Structures are given as C-alpha cells and as structure tokens.
Amino acid sequence: MAKLLIAGGAGFIGSHTTLLLLEAGHQVVVLDNFSTSSPESLQRVAQLAGSSASARLCLVEGDIRDPGSLDQAFQTTSAPCDAVIHFAGLKAVAQSVHQPLLYWDVNVGGSQRLLAAMERHGCHTLVFSSSATVYGYPDRIPIPETAALQPINPYGHTKAAVEQMLADLASNEAGPAASGPSRWRIARLRYFNPVGAHASGRIGEDPLGPPDNLFPFVSQVAVGRRQRLKIFGADWPTPDGTGIRDYIHVMDLAEGHLAALEALWNEPPQLLTLNLGSGRGHSVLEVVQAFEAASGRPVPYDLLPRRAGDAAESVADPTEAHRRLGWRAQRDLATICSDGWHWQSLNPEGYGSGPA
Ligand code: NAD
Ligand code: UD1
C-alpha cells in the first residue's frame, strides 16, 4: 500500500482515478478547493469504494497555492507520501483568454508551490496532468510526443510552462556540475479528450455552467437540459466536414495513471512524457450519432461557423504509452456514450441532483 496525495482529486478525472487507487489498496489524501467541483463527488467515490477502502480516503479542503494547506495534506498521517498526482488546475480555454493571470497563478504558481512542498516533505514522484493542447495546431496526425510544442492560448501556455518546470527539475541534478542523478520521477501525461463516466453512473463529468466541450454539451441536450447542439464548422477538411478528436474514456485514463505510477516506482528516476489517447479519431457527427444510439434520444443540432482556435483534427499516437506502460485505451466510442448517458440520465443536474 502506498500513500498518495491527489491534488484536484474531487474533479472529473481526479475522482475516477481516486476510486481506482482506493480499489487498488492505496491510501489517498485528496487536496481540493472545490473551485470547479463538488464534495459530493468524493462522497460517491467513498460509497463506490466501500467502507473498508473508503477508510483509506482523507480530504483536505485547501488550495495548492497555500503552503499551509499543502503541509497539512502531506502530514495527514505519519507515513511519508510516496507520490503526488497533480490534477488541480483550471482548464477552460475561453476563460484563460480573458483571465490569463488567474491561469498563470493557479496552473503555474500552484504547481510551483506544490513542487516546493514535495521537496519539503521528501516526495519526488509526480504524475502531472498535461494536455494535447500543448501541440496547438498539430503538424501531423497521429501526433507523437516528439511533435513541436506550439500552444495557441493561455491555458496551453500554462501547461507547456509546467512541463518545462518539470523538465528543469528532472535535470537539475544531472548536469555537469551535479553531484548525482536527479531523484525526481516524473510523468507528464498529455491527455487527449477525456470523456465518459464510471460504469456505475454514480460519478461523471459535471461542468459548472454551459459546457465548453462537446461531450457534456451533447449529453445535456440528450437529457433535455439544453435544446440544441451547435456544431462548430461543417467545412473542415475531414470526411464529413466536422472536426475530428481522439476521445478517451475517463476510466482508461485513470488506468493510465496507475500504470504510470508503477513505471515510475519500478524504474530508475526519469522524466516520462506520454500521450494518453486512444489513437482513434471520431468526428462531431459520429459522436452525435453514437450518443443518439446509446441514449435512444435525439440530439438536434445546428451547423455554425468554425470556433476560433479549433484544429481540424487531433489524434494521439499512443504507441509510446503502450511501449513504456503496457497501457492501451480499451473502451470504444459506444461504451463511452453508454457510460456517459448512464451518468447523465441518473444525474440530469450533475451532482446538484442529489444522491443518485
Ligand atoms: P476538473 O475541473 O473537473 O478538476 C480539477 C480539480 O482541481 C477540481 O476538483 C478543482 O476544484 C481543483 N482545483 C482547481 N484549482 C485548485 C487549486 N488552486 N487548489 C486546489 N484544487 C484546485 O478538471 P479535470 O477535467 O478533472 O482536469 C484535471 C486536470 O487535467 C487539469 O489539470 C486539466 O487541465 C487537465 N486536463 C483535462 C482535460 C479535460 O478535457 N478534462 C484535458 C487535458 C488535460
Ligand atoms: C478543448 C480545448 C483544449 C482542451 C480540451 C479539454 C479549445 C479550442 N480547445 O479541446 O485546449 O485541452 O478542450 O478541456 O477550446 N464542438 C462543437 N460544439 C460544441 C463543442 C465542441 O461542435 O458545443 C466541436 C469542436 O469544434 C471540436 C470537437 O467538438 O471539433 C471537440 O471539442 P471540445 O470538446 O471542446 O474539445 P477540443 O476542442 O478538442
């Protein structure tokens, strides 16, 4: 059993990963300020894990920018912390354009404080949530990890900046003047488009306000919370004219984090940089059709002009993740849609619906 600190563990990806870690027998301390999530997600994680596993879950409500909260999280038990998974941050591209300082403060400043706390508490193993957004407009499809990093919005800049901070940390003791190799074991995981929900339908994605992203919008239309989907662009150079993305089931993503932790623990200190995607691309219209089939509900839509900042296509080359971790996304689009619909139909208002 390892002790893990999960920053942002109440959020969409964090809650699913926390559940998996509890089921794998680990002790989990979640540090979260609930700025974009609800404590209800962790209550449901505890229920799903069962009473014996949930005894290994502990919550510290606090901000990663606050050293006191960080110290409290590291010191919840006397056992040393074996690793941190860092999900805490802000992710709305449009908001990042309007509030760039907030994004640099939370995503970059918060990561710097978290890393400083890891140093203070002698923990040098980290899994960091990066994003395919660091590739900007990709210069080839599928996108390998070696593709150029050319983010095109403040959110993407903050992710690339943290990636650089981590590279500096991983190499700072390994240079010519170094006394020895770096102690840091770091995985920078570049997620493609995380979607879907736990098969129980008890936990899932619950964005605040109108969703920016395709999947939650489609499912809210299907459940009757919103009237019509706006499809941004039907004139892309793709087979049906709509944008293509690599959608990855959130449970596949959660499993990727466990695989990354195992690799970091079992191999010498290193800096791992991996795409977590399925390697399969689906168009917006394919998603609409798959969701209609899974839900049995219509998803009416309007075709609008392209959204600023969108690329025609974004699909991962997941070869390296399979080679390094033995991990591969297992769940297909039909499963993503049926699990997503299960969550949305049981919780039409998200966690605000009350206990499912
Ligand atoms: P989310 O908003 O559901 O979860 C983020 C969690 O972090 C929330 O619980 C929030 O309350 C917490 N948080 C935010 N700021 C904090 C702070 N200052 N201190 C403590 N807690 C804080 O988002 P998610 O989809 O679960 O994303 C998790 C991570 O993965 C983020 O870093 C995001 O940038 C990255 N990511 C997400 C996607 C995606 O499409 N969901 C894609 C690529 C990368
Ligand atoms: C977006 C962000 C990206 C971020 C990711 C995860 C932009 C430009 N990119 O990725 O930086 O890492 O979310 O948070 O915001 N679409 C519609 N109608 C909608 C919503 C989306 O047609 O209401 C289309 C988009 O044009 C795109 C596809 O659906 O072709 C997927 O969009 P979305 O879910 O927002 O993800 P990304 O744009 O890939």
Side-chain angles (χ1 to χ4, degrees):
M1 177 181 83
K3 177 178 162 184
L4 297 152
L5 171 56
I6 313 297
F12 172 42
I13 306 168
S15 55
H16 291 76
T17 307
T18 295
L19 176 59
L20 218 52
L21 290 166
L22 291 170
E23 288 173 345
H26 298 301
Q27 183 182 357
V28 179
V29 180
V30 168
L31 173 64
D32 204 300
N33 67 356
F34 301 117
S35 57
T36 60
S37 62
S38 156
E40 174 72 16
S41 69
L42 289 180
Q43 282 165 22
R44 298 210 189 164
V45 165
Q47 288 160 6
L48 285 168
S51 55
S52 119
S54 66
R56 287 183 269 103
L57 173 64
C58 166
L59 167 67
V60 174
E61 183 170 353
D63 196 300
I64 55 164
R65 291 166 294 177
D66 171 26
S69 297
L70 285 162
D71 287 341
Q72 194 190 335
F74 277 100
Q75 289 164 341
T76 44
T77 66
S78 54
C81 183
D82 296 296
V84 172
I85 306 183
H86 177 20
F87 294 109
L90 301 175
K91 63 170 184 179
V93 171
Q95 186 190 28
S96 80
V97 172
H98 294 111
Q99 295 177 273
L101 289 180
L102 175 68
Y103 273 66
W104 279 85
D105 185 30
V106 175
N107 291 0
V108 181
S111 296
Q112 185 271 328
R113 304 252 171 110
L114 174 58
L115 290 162
M118 290 178 70
E119 287 266 52
R120 278 200 300 287
H121 294 276
C123 177
H124 295 96
T125 302
L126 173 76
V127 178
F128 170 64
S129 301
S130 188
S131 168
T133 198
V134 296
Y135 297 120
Y137 301 119
D139 48 24
R140 66 201 123 143
I141 299 289
I143 310 171
E145 289 83 354
T146 49
L149 300 198
Q150 40 199 10
I152 52 165
N153 53 58
Y155 168 65
H157 290 139
T158 64
K159 286 292 175 190
V162 177
E163 283 210 9
Q164 185 59 54
M165 197 188 313
L166 297 174
D168 291 347
L169 203 53
S171 65
N172 80 340
E173 293 162 61
S179 54
S182 174
R183 289 163 297 168
W184 284 92
R185 299 161 189 266
I186 296 174
R188 306 184 296 188
L189 303 182
R190 296 177 181 156
Y191 314 153
F192 277 66
N193 289 61
V195 289
H198 188 260
S200 66
R202 306 290 309 285
I203 54 173
E205 186 170 15
D206 184 20
L208 299 173
D212 296 317
N213 298 120
L214 179 66
F215 251 87
F217 208 105
V218 166
S219 61
Q220 290 188 11
V221 171
V223 85
R225 245 174 103 175
R226 306 196 182 273
Q227 299 223 306
R228 300 173 75 79
L229 171 70
K230 298 182 179 72
I231 294 184
F232 299 131
D235 58 350
W236 293 103
T238 59
D240 67 19
T242 63
I244 291 179
R245 294 292 181 274
D246 181 334
Y247 297 100
I248 174 167
H249 195 295
V250 64
M251 291 309 296
D252 279 325
L253 200 56
E255 288 164 8
H257 288 72
L258 266 73
L261 275 177
E262 290 298 329
L264 292 178
W265 281 327
N266 294 333
E267 295 170 20
Q270 62 178 320
L271 176 66
L272 264 178
T273 305
L274 297 172
N275 287 337
L276 292 189
S278 72
R280 294 180 301 265
H282 293 289
S283 73
V284 175
L285 285 173
E286 283 175 332
V287 168
V288 168
Q289 282 155 13
F291 210 91
E292 288 182 330
S295 64
R297 301 280 186 96
V299 178
Y301 60 79
D302 299 309
L303 299 176
L304 272 78
R306 296 176 182 186
R307 180 172 68 177
D310 270 354
E313 197 168 351
S314 168
V315 177
D317 179 346
T319 315
E320 190 65 3
H322 185 246
R323 193 175 73 78
R324 299 303 302 267
L325 309 181
W327 169 91
R328 222 181 231 142
Q330 306 286 343
R331 297 158 178 90
D332 63 9
L333 183 63
T335 308
I336 285 172
C337 292
S338 60
D339 288 344
W341 175 244
H342 193 199
W343 152 253
Q344 190 71 69
S345 53
L346 285 177
N347 306 273
E349 302 295 327
Y351 291 112
S353 309

